[in-house]
Amino acid sequence: SSDLEVYHLERSVDEHSQQELLRVKQDELLELFSAWKKEPTDEAKENLDRVVGEIRQINPSFRFELPKR
């Protein structure tokens, strides 16, 4: 097998794990957002900002804005 095939294989595995991570982070974001809506503390907002940052490392086009209260 050529190096190219190995590269493609590694890439697809990598992309798959990124998709998995993205799903996990998006679930986490939804949970944090629910918590923030119940109790909009600074800590809740910092947690949201952190997870949004992590999601954007995987998917740079991701946008998330907290609704203005």
Side-chain angles (χ1 to χ4, degrees):
S1 101
S2 69
D3 288 345
L4 195 61
E5 279 170 29
V6 173
Y7 170 75
H8 276 300
L9 189 65
E10 281 176 4
R11 245 194 91 161
S12 61
V13 168
D14 196 47
E15 279 170 14
H16 180 73
S17 61
Q18 297 240 308
Q19 289 303 315
E20 279 299 301
L21 188 59
L22 203 53
R23 266 200 291 277
V24 169
K25 291 293 170 193
Q26 286 171 335
D27 287 346
E28 195 180 341
L29 184 65
L30 287 173
E31 280 174 33
L32 289 170
F33 182 56
S34 298
W36 177 85
K37 283 198 295 192
K38 284 193 205 94
E39 205 176 330
T41 60
D42 284 346
E43 188 189 357
K45 185 177 183 317
E46 280 166 22
N47 286 333
L48 276 168
D49 288 343
R50 175 180 54 79
V51 174
V52 168
E54 290 170 0
I55 291 174
R56 291 190 64 184
Q57 285 180 336
I58 305 167
N59 174 8
S61 62
F62 183 77
R63 291 275 174 277
F64 178 81
E65 297 287 324
L66 280 178
K68 299 283 173 273
R69 288 191 147 264

